[in-house]
């Protein structure tokens, strides 16, 4: 019998085998929406599962800091990350305590760095990419269907869903098109090093991680050096803005630009690819909803929001409490860790009508798929929506002809990102 004492929401293998632990999250929302979680292999932390509480923590960034950590991890994963940060610090001559990504920063530093990049991600800027993305999506869908016809099947995750996110984020940072396949391979190998399928023969997780992160770091470093040498230019891509940007009157250091671009590549490719794959899976598994979308393509915007809610690729983020406070009737003490579980918030029955129904006509859909609310909401949210819309519109005429061949291969990386490794489809027989 499932109880608060027996539930487990930190078993990555269970996520891969069974999907998200919705039954456990349902129990937590009902009986202990702010729950002190003590399990072997993890330092104790508070589990936050209600939509309302996730939003509250997200908005109150002075009370809940991002600077100390952003995920719950096993000691082995923490050790690997700390070793990587120490190695980076030695390589680039900075303090190992410098934040490795925007997500690890509190304001004002976070706000200042985000402001430099923001012009590339506004609704107006993203709107200008719509025609380009539509053309790319149409070409990718054509190649995808040609592959199905030639080979009998194709993998949605690799042969379709990955294509536009790679193109989008690489174009935004100014990476040449001939390098896109390598960038995709390195980002995948960095985030999924714990998965044996992403390792070379004889490699363990640490070796695979180091091989890929070294290659990606080296590539990005060269890009940064080129753009910093042109910092007086008029480039408008993200990397050019970072190279020319100023924070409190001084230019960004080399390592700050490097880490920012590195994380844009990793986050920008993986999350949208998985949301696209998960969205296509959901439509194929819910033919009534697919038929509604085919009959009325104007529903695509609502369909995108429902796909984002339904898939919720970002599993959790962590904050550290900076002062004693109260949340959901529980006393959170200074220094304690709070983990927000976004898929649970997106199934909160107090917010969503019939939350376990995939409904592309859903009008009220205030999901937290992009990390809740507040200043840490995903910088690329508008870009991700545009990519999803472009792919959906391009693939929609073909989807009714397709069927899933077998159960998708999935995993969850560091309990943070849901990875759909393979979704093989074919034409209906």
């Amino acid at each position: 019998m499932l109880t608060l004492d027996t539930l487990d929401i930190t078993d990555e293998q269970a996520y891969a085998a069974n999907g998200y632990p919705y039954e456990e999250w349902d129990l937590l929302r009902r009986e202990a929406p702010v729950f002190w979680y003590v399990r072997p292999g993890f330092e104790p932390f508070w589990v936050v599962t209600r939509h309302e509480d996730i939003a509250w923590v997200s908005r109150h960034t002075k009370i809940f800091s991002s600077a100390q950590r952003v995920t719950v991890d096993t000691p082995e994963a923490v050790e690997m990350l700390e070793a990587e940060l120490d190695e980076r610090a030695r390589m680039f001559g900075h303090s190992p305590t410098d934040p490795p990504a925007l997500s690890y920063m509190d304001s004002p530093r976070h706000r200042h760095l985000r402001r430099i990049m923001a012009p590339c991600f506004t609704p107006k800027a993203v709107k200008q990419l719509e025609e380009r993305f539509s053309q790319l999506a149409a070409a990718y869908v054509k190649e995808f269907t040609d592959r199905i016809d030639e080979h009998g099947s194709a993998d949605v995750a690799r042969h379709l869903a990955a294509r536009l996110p790679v193109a989008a984020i690489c174009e935004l940072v100014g990476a040449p098109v001939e390098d896109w396949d390598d960038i995709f391979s390195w980002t995948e190998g960095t985030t999924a090093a714990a998965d044996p399928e992403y390792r070379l023969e004889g490699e363990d997780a640490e070796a695979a991680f180091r091989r890929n992160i070294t290659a990606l770091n080296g590539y990005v470093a060269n890009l940064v050096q080129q753009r910093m040498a042109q910092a007086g230019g008029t480039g408008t891509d993200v990397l050019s803005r970072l190279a020319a940007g100023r924070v409190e009157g001084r230019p960004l250091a080399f390592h700050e630009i490097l880490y920012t671009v590195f994380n844009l590549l990793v986050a920008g490719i993986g999350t949208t690819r998985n949301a696209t794959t998960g969205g296509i899976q959901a439509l194929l598994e819910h033919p009534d909803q697919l038929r509604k979308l085919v009959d009325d393509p104007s529903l695509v915007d609502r369909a995108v929001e429902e796909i984002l809610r339904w898939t919720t690729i970002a599993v959790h983020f962590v904050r550290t409490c900076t002062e004693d406070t109260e949340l959901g009737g529980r006393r959170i003490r200074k220094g304690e860790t709070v983990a927000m579980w976004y898929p649970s918030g997106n199934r909160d029955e107090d917010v969503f009508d019939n939350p376990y129904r995939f409904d592309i006509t859903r009008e009220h859909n205030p999901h937290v798929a992009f990390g809740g609310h507040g200043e840490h909401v995903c910088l690329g949210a508008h870009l991700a929506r545009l990519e999803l819309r472009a792919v959906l519109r391009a693939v929609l005429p073909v989807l009714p002809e397709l069927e899933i061949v077998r159960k998708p291969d999935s995993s969850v990386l560091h309990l943070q990102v849901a990875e759909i490794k393979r979704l093989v489809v074919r034409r209906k027989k």
Side-chain angles (χ1 to χ4, degrees):
M1 179 180 176
L2 183 65
T3 68
L4 294 177
D5 292 329
T6 63
L7 65 81
D8 185 350
I9 61 170
T10 50
D11 184 345
E12 291 185 1
Q13 293 183 342
Y15 278 79
N18 308 315
Y20 286 166
Y22 283 116
E23 186 178 359
E24 285 84 347
W25 288 328
D26 290 347
L27 176 65
L28 286 165
R29 286 197 310 277
R30 286 195 308 269
E31 298 187 8
V34 180
F35 178 68
W36 186 240
Y37 188 85
V38 182
R39 297 294 186 273
F42 294 89
E43 292 183 7
F45 60 90
W46 291 100
V47 172
V48 180
T49 50
R50 288 193 313 187
H51 187 283
E52 177 184 2
D53 295 330
I54 291 170
W56 198 88
V57 171
S58 300
R59 287 194 301 266
H60 290 80
T61 53
K62 290 185 178 180
I63 300 175
F64 297 101
S65 169
S66 301
Q68 290 76 23
R69 58 192 303 199
V70 296
T71 62
V72 294
D73 271 313
T74 62
E76 293 79 13
V78 171
E79 184 177 338
M80 187 184 300
L81 175 61
E82 289 178 346
E84 172 60 25
L85 295 180
D86 288 342
E87 184 175 327
R88 285 191 193 181
R90 288 193 300 270
M91 184 182 302
F92 300 118
H94 64 83
S95 169
T97 61
D98 282 3
L102 187 68
S103 56
Y104 281 84
M105 297 179 190
D106 292 328
S107 283
R109 183 74 185 174
H110 175 274
R111 183 172 62 252
H112 291 157
L113 183 57
R114 186 178 174 116
R115 187 176 294 156
I116 293 172
M117 297 182 286
C120 294
F121 296 96
T122 63
K124 181 179 179 181
V126 167
K127 180 69 175 176
Q128 295 174 355
L129 300 170
E130 187 167 11
E131 184 176 352
R132 166 71 170 155
F133 281 13
S134 295
Q135 293 170 349
L136 286 172
Y140 295 151
V141 168
K142 176 65 165 55
E143 293 173 11
F144 176 69
T145 54
D146 286 349
R147 186 179 187 88
I148 293 175
D149 293 336
E150 181 179 352
H151 299 281
S153 65
D155 177 9
V156 172
R158 180 164 292 274
H159 300 135
L160 177 60
R163 303 292 301 280
L164 190 55
V166 171
I169 202 66
C170 285
E171 285 196 349
L172 278 173
V173 301
V177 65
E178 60 267 23
D179 298 334
W180 292 359
D181 286 345
D182 284 339
I183 291 171
F184 175 60
S185 177
W186 294 328
T187 58
E188 287 289 275
T190 298
T191 57
D195 190 327
E197 292 190 25
Y198 291 90
R199 303 179 202 163
L200 299 178
E201 185 176 353
E203 278 188 331
D204 59 11
E206 183 173 359
F209 175 80
R210 292 199 176 281
R211 171 173 55 82
N212 285 286
I213 202 169
T214 298
L216 187 57
N217 265 333
Y219 177 83
V220 175
N222 285 332
L223 272 186
V224 172
Q225 288 170 341
Q226 293 171 18
R227 209 68 97 253
M228 290 184 77
Q230 305 164 352
T234 58
T236 57
D237 60 80
V238 174
L239 184 45
S240 294
R241 290 182 183 278
L242 289 167
R246 297 290 186 274
V247 172
E248 297 179 339
R250 73 166 184 84
L252 295 173
F254 173 80
H255 73 274
E256 292 175 303
I257 301 175
L258 172 67
Y259 297 166
T260 301
V261 174
F262 177 95
N263 285 283
L264 280 175
L265 289 169
V266 172
I269 293 172
T271 52
T272 310
R273 174 176 66 85
N274 284 297
T276 302
T277 306
I280 290 174
Q281 177 186 349
L283 288 167
L284 292 176
E285 290 178 342
H286 297 83
D288 61 319
Q289 300 301 301
L290 175 56
R291 176 48 54 191
K292 286 181 182 178
L293 190 55
V294 169
D295 291 343
D296 184 4
S298 70
L299 290 171
V300 70
D301 286 345
R302 289 190 192 179
V304 164
E305 297 307 316
E306 182 66 349
I307 285 169
L308 290 167
R309 183 192 75 88
W310 188 258
T311 59
T312 316
I313 299 304
V315 182
H316 88 282
F317 265 103
V318 155
R319 301 288 183 262
T320 302
C321 192
T322 62
E323 61 184 69
D324 289 359
T325 191
E326 186 174 297
L327 179 67
R330 301 299 301 271
R331 188 71 174 171
I332 313 294
R333 301 194 179 278
K334 180 180 179 179
E336 291 180 337
T337 299
V338 173
M340 301 170 285
W341 298 84
Y342 303 117
S344 175
N346 282 342
R347 293 295 192 277
D348 192 332
E349 45 283 300
D350 289 338
V351 176
F352 302 97
D353 182 40
N354 200 354
Y356 284 95
R357 173 175 168 76
F358 179 68
D359 181 4
I360 67 162
T361 67
R362 191 181 296 276
E363 294 186 43
H364 182 63
N365 202 345
H367 60 75
V368 289
F370 288 117
H373 308 275
E375 63 185 40
H376 276 279
V377 68
C378 177
L379 178 64
H382 299 302
L383 182 67
R385 286 183 168 102
L386 177 61
E387 293 174 42
L388 273 166
R389 285 198 302 270
V391 174
L392 274 186
R393 286 176 175 140
V395 80
L396 190 57
V398 181
L399 282 187
E401 304 170 9
L402 304 181
E403 63 182 3
I404 298 173
V405 174
R406 57 181 176 270
K407 180 182 177 182
D409 296 328
S410 303
S411 64
V412 170
L413 311 175
H414 302 293
L415 296 171
Q416 189 176 24
V417 176
E419 173 88 0
I420 304 176
K421 295 189 292 184
R422 271 181 298 276
L423 177 65
V424 181
V425 300
R426 66 188 175 198
R427 292 194 185 274
K428 292 178 180 178
K429 295 182 178 179

